[in-house]
């Protein structure tokens, strides 16, 4: 007795179900992802499930009865395979998994007819040729960067793997093509949201200066006196995305967030998140953490994804770190946006201790007073780059302490100046000595200062023209070195290079206030530990009023003795 058709179909279905179950058990993806992939394959091949109420393929004028359907499906599968292999060789986007360009080409190839196979191959070859040279326009100047894939990473003339902890320390002539692509994507999204910019993002002067500072592998102190803007956020996240792409090309992987962007409020977190959102097309995922959302919801979200960028308020981040919902120990780039509000309490120090190594740090110092100096000194260790397009005295002299002393006599001024020198020597017992500069004049007081320094054990070598004199390092019996001290005449301040000096001493206030401001805005450019000492007597009472104005403008402490000296100035006249 022969079996019926329904029995044959049941047997076949049973075999198919068993085969599918075996595939699902050996697959590395979840059932939900496997279902999405299967639906996508059916949609692109023209097949539909019977429950969807559609035929397997639509008839065409050339084939009204679908006689050639099986043959066309076979050719399409072969075409997809050849095209995917060709596009895998020609990837040009430095993102995880498939590149954005490859995704576009693959989608277009799947929708093309088999007769267009030759045109598709020509497009893939043209795409490869177009990657050989990237054309950029920076400040209206045309520059060719060469093949982006062949860009080398150097630090001090040597190829390197890490600059700071896991950060990219590339030194290139101009921004890469991928960085410009990220900026263009952000700009297009901003334009779609109705935010118009006067100039393209990639020619922004602040952004170009930031990229130069970032490429030098030094920490950055932004001293404009405000928190970050949309343009500044765009350059920071685009540069971070470019660093991720370069490190992944070198074979490095990141187990946690690459960028940690600390903000003060939920509104600022949403603003930063909106700027980062267009980078999702390049494989960069951003997660925003703030008190406005339930913590359980945020914990579940962090378990389901591994973000490259993390935008958070300090309090919520510390809470999630304590619950072990997020690991920030491998952060390579730390951005502190708004130091005035974030430095309250011990939140910043706790977050910094949670990060191992030395991340590349960018600080937006919106508080230019002396109260922000300890927090900046805690975050920025070693040599830094200052970044600001604000030319005000307060901005250019940020994190430089101005110490004004009122003395009774000239001898007291010399002695206090030497005490400052000895204090600089004592504070750096185990580290490199500070670079100290004396500003002197050509008079008898200069000779008194030199003789007093000799009595204190400093060996002095004076230049023939007395313009610049160097006080040689004196080695003590226990092997300690005194700080290297230089002397400069007051008439040569405008031509001197003061950026390397961390301590400047004006033992006799014989300079004008213009020279004082020039010293203040030119010294200690690569450190946050600069100190400018000046000494007043009754003879200098005429400068007391202008000095008080500068101190108040820069948010410095005004000594009571200086105010008293200012009040006695009219009486002396």
């Amino acid at each position: 007795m022969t079996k019926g058709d329904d029995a044959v179909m049941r047997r076949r279905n049973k075999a198919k179900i068993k085969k599918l179950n075996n595939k699902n058990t050996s697959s590395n993806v979840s059932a939900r992802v496997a279902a999405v992939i299967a639906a996508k394959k059916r949609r692109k091949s023209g097949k539909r499930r019977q429950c969807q109420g559609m035929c397997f393929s639509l008839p065409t004028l050339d084939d009204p009865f679908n006689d050639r359907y099986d043959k066309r499906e076979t050719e399409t599968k072969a075409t997809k395979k050849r095209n995917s292999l060709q596009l895998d060789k020609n990837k040009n986007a430095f993102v995880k998994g498939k590149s954005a360009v490859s995704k576009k080409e693959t989608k277009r190839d799947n929708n093309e007819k088999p007769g267009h196979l030759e045109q598709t191959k020509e497009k893939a070859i043209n795409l490869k040729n177009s990657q050989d040279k990237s054309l950029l326009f920076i400040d209206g100047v045309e520059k060719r960067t060469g093949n982006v894939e062949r860009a080398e990473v150097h630090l001090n003339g040597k190829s390197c793997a890490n600059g700071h902890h896991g950060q990219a320390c590339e030194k290139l002539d101009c921004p890469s093509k991928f960085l410009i692509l990220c900026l263009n994507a952000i700009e297009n999204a901003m334009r779609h949201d109705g935010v118009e910019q006067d100039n393209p993002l990639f020619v922004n002067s602040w952004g170009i200066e930031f990229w130069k500072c970032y490429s030098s592998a030094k920490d950055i102190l932004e001293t404009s006196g405000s928190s970050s803007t949309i343009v500044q956020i765009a350059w920071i996240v685009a540069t971070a995305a470019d660093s991720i792409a370069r490190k992944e090309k070198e074979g490095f992987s990141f187990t946690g967030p690459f960028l940690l962007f600390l903000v003060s409020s939920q509104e600022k977190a949403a603003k930063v998140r909106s700027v980062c959102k267009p980078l999702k097309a390049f494989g960069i995922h951003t997660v925003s953490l703030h008190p406005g959302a339930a913590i359980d919801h945020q914990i579940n979200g962090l378990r389901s994804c591994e973000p490259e960028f993390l935008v958070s308020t300090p309090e919520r981040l510390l809470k999630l770190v304590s619950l072990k919902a997020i690991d920030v120990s491998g952060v390579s780039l730390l951005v502190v946006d708004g130091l005035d509000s974030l430095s309250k309490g011990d939140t910043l120090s706790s977050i910094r201790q949670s990060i191992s190594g030395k991340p590349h740090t960018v600080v937006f110092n919106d508080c230019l007073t002396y109260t922000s100096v300890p927090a900046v000194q805690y975050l920025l260790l070693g040599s830094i780059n200052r970044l600001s397009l604000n030319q005000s005295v307060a901005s250019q002299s940020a994190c430089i302490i101005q110490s004004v002393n009122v003395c009774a006599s000239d001898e007291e001024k010399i002695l206090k100046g030497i005490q400052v020198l000895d204090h600089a020597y004592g504070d750096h017992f185990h580290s490199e000595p500070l670079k100290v500069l004396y500003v002197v004049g050509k008079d008898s007081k200069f000779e008194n200062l030199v003789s007093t320094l000799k009595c204190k054990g400093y060996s002095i070598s004076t230049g023939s023209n007395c313009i610049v004199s160097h006080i040689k390092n004196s080695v003590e019996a226990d092997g300690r070195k005194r700080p290297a001290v230089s002397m400069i005449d007051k008439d040569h301040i405008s031509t001197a290079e003061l950026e390397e000096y961390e301590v400047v001493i004006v033992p006799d206030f014989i300079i004008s206030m213009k020279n004082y401001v020039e010293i203040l805005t030119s010294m200690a450019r690569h450190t946050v530990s600069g100190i400018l000492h000046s000494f007043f007597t009754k003879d200098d009472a005429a400068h007391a009023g202008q000095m008080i104005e500068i101190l108040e403008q820069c948010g410095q402490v005004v000594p009571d003795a200086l105010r008293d000296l200012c009040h006695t100035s009219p009486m002396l006249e």
Side-chain angles (χ1 to χ4, degrees):
M1 182 176 177
T2 59
K3 293 183 179 181
D5 295 337
D6 54 347
V8 174
M9 289 299 296
R10 283 196 301 270
R11 186 174 181 180
R12 290 180 180 177
N13 291 338
K14 187 176 180 181
K16 289 180 180 180
I17 292 173
K18 185 176 180 181
K19 186 177 181 181
L20 288 175
N21 290 334
N22 293 335
K23 284 187 176 181
N24 289 335
T25 54
S26 61
S27 178
N28 295 326
V29 298
S30 62
R32 184 180 65 85
V33 176
V36 172
I37 295 173
K40 186 176 181 181
K41 289 182 178 180
R42 287 194 300 270
R43 184 174 66 253
K44 290 185 176 182
S45 62
K47 293 183 178 180
R48 298 293 186 272
R49 283 186 287 183
Q50 187 175 2
C51 61
Q52 291 178 305
M54 298 184 67
C55 61
F56 287 97
S57 64
L58 297 176
T60 61
L61 294 177
D62 297 334
D63 187 19
F65 300 103
N66 289 336
D67 295 333
R68 292 179 295 177
Y69 171 73
D70 295 334
K71 181 179 180 181
R72 183 174 63 180
E73 182 182 8
T74 305
E75 292 180 355
T76 304
K77 291 182 179 179
T79 303
K80 289 181 184 178
K81 186 175 181 180
R82 287 193 294 268
N83 291 342
S84 62
L85 291 175
Q86 181 70 16
L87 289 173
D88 286 341
K89 295 180 180 179
N90 300 329
K91 285 194 297 185
N92 71 328
F94 312 100
V95 295
K96 293 182 178 180
K98 294 184 179 179
S99 64
V101 178
S102 299
K103 289 179 180 178
K104 286 184 179 180
E105 293 295 329
T106 305
K107 184 176 180 180
R108 185 168 55 197
D109 291 340
N110 291 336
N111 296 330
E112 294 267 349
K113 293 183 178 180
H116 293 207
L117 179 59
E118 297 298 329
Q119 296 180 4
T120 305
K121 290 183 178 180
E122 292 179 1
K123 290 180 181 179
I125 295 174
N126 293 334
L127 176 63
K128 180 180 179 181
N129 294 334
S130 65
Q131 298 168 11
D132 292 338
K133 292 183 179 180
S134 57
L135 185 62
L136 304 179
F137 292 89
I138 304 298
D139 290 335
V141 180
E142 180 179 342
K143 298 182 180 180
R144 294 188 180 273
T145 63
N147 194 338
V148 180
E149 293 186 353
R150 296 177 183 175
E152 295 181 356
V153 180
H154 293 282
L155 176 63
N156 297 330
K158 298 180 181 180
S159 61
C160 70
N162 290 330
H164 294 273
H165 180 71
Q167 83 181 55
C169 49
E170 56 267 54
K171 289 188 177 181
L172 305 176
D173 295 334
C174 60
S176 67
K177 184 177 179 180
F178 181 69
L179 192 150
I180 303 301
L181 289 175
C182 294
L183 290 175
N184 289 338
I186 296 173
E187 186 174 2
N188 293 334
M190 292 167 55
R191 190 180 296 111
H192 183 268
D193 295 337
V195 180
E196 295 289 342
Q197 297 291 332
D198 296 335
N199 296 316
L201 289 179
F202 68 86
V203 297
N204 181 265
S205 57
W206 186 94
I208 296 173
E209 290 298 323
F210 168 79
W211 180 84
K212 292 178 181 178
C213 295
Y214 182 87
S215 300
S216 66
K218 294 181 180 179
D219 292 336
I220 300 173
L221 175 63
E222 216 288 335
T223 60
S224 297
S226 61
S227 58
S228 61
T229 62
I230 292 180
V231 175
Q232 293 170 343
I233 296 171
W235 267 94
I236 291 174
V237 298
T239 304
D242 184 51
S243 297
I244 292 175
R246 293 185 183 279
K247 300 305 291 183
E248 287 184 347
K249 281 192 63 182
E250 297 173 4
F252 294 96
S253 60
F254 303 96
T255 57
F258 178 87
L259 167 64
L260 175 58
F261 206 113
L262 295 179
V263 295
S264 58
S265 62
Q266 177 182 347
E267 291 75 14
K268 191 57 182 286
K271 183 179 179 181
V272 177
R273 173 69 178 84
S274 63
V275 176
C276 300
K277 190 175 181 180
L279 299 181
K280 188 176 181 180
F282 301 101
I284 304 297
H285 300 272
T286 306
V287 171
S288 177
L289 305 176
H290 51 77
I295 192 168
D296 294 336
H297 174 71
Q298 293 176 346
I299 292 175
N300 294 331
L302 291 172
R303 288 175 180 173
S304 61
C305 69
E306 295 181 357
E308 285 76 22
F309 293 170
L310 190 63
V311 185
S312 177
T313 57
E315 294 79 8
R316 179 50 60 96
L317 179 63
L318 285 177
K319 192 170 184 179
L320 290 170
V321 169
S322 63
L323 295 174
K324 297 183 179 181
I326 184 69
D327 182 16
V328 296
S329 61
V331 168
S332 299
L333 177 58
L334 173 64
V335 179
V336 180
D337 188 10
L339 189 64
D340 187 20
S341 56
L342 296 178
S343 59
K344 298 176 182 178
D346 298 331
T347 55
L348 278 183
S349 59
S350 300
I351 292 174
R352 182 62 186 86
Q353 292 173 3
S354 301
I355 303 174
S356 60
K358 186 179 183 300
H360 203 164
T361 307
V362 180
V363 176
F364 283 86
N365 188 11
D366 57 345
C367 178
L368 301 180
T369 62
Y370 72 96
T371 57
S372 65
V373 175
V376 175
Q377 291 177 348
Y378 178 79
L379 291 171
L380 303 180
L381 304 175
S383 181
I384 67 164
N385 280 325
R386 292 174 177 264
L387 177 60
S388 176
L389 299 181
N390 187 354
Q391 299 300 322
S392 65
V393 178
S395 176
Q396 296 297 320
S397 63
C399 297
I400 296 178
I401 300 297
Q402 301 178 56
S403 176
V404 181
N405 299 274
V406 179
C407 304
S409 62
D410 293 338
E411 290 76 11
E412 184 180 354
K413 289 194 297 185
I414 295 177
L415 291 177
K416 285 191 175 182
I418 295 177
Q419 289 177 3
V420 170
L421 182 61
D422 293 338
H423 181 70
Y425 163 59
D427 281 352
H428 290 73
F429 183 86
H430 296 291
S431 61
E432 291 294 328
L434 293 173
K435 292 186 177 180
V436 184
L437 175 67
Y438 266 91
V439 180
V440 297
K442 299 177 182 178
D443 52 12
S444 58
K445 296 179 182 179
F446 168 71
E447 299 296 335
N448 294 334
L449 176 62
V450 172
S451 61
T452 305
L453 290 174
K454 286 183 177 179
C455 294
K456 288 290 184 178
Y458 291 94
S459 177
I460 303 173
S461 175
T462 305
S464 58
N465 54 3
C466 196
I467 294 177
V468 178
S469 304
H470 299 284
I471 302 176
K472 295 181 179 179
N473 289 338
S474 178
V475 181
E476 303 254 344
D478 56 0
R480 294 179 297 175
K481 289 185 178 181
R482 294 186 181 275
V485 183
S486 299
M487 287 187 178
I488 185 173
D489 188 83
K490 63 182 181 64
D491 297 331
H492 296 84
I493 292 176
S494 58
T495 59
E497 296 181 358
L498 305 177
E499 62 180 14
E500 62 180 359
Y501 294 103
E502 299 164 298
V503 179
V504 177
I505 302 174
V506 185
D508 190 18
F509 206 83
I510 54 178
I511 60 176
S512 63
M513 294 307 300
K514 181 180 179 181
N515 289 339
Y516 179 85
V517 172
E518 188 172 359
I519 294 173
L520 180 62
T521 57
S522 301
M523 63 174 289
R525 294 296 92 188
H526 302 293
T527 182
V528 292
S529 303
I531 305 177
L532 175 56
H533 296 273
S534 56
F535 300 89
F536 278 73
T537 60
K538 292 182 179 180
D539 297 335
D540 306 318
H543 301 290
Q546 296 178 346
M547 177 61 72
I548 291 175
E549 292 180 1
I550 293 176
L551 292 176
E552 291 178 345
Q553 181 181 354
C554 299
Q556 301 286 322
V557 177
V558 180
D560 294 336
L562 185 62
R563 294 187 185 275
D564 296 338
L565 184 63
C566 180
H567 294 326
T568 59
S569 177
M571 301 173 60
L572 294 175
E573 294 178 355

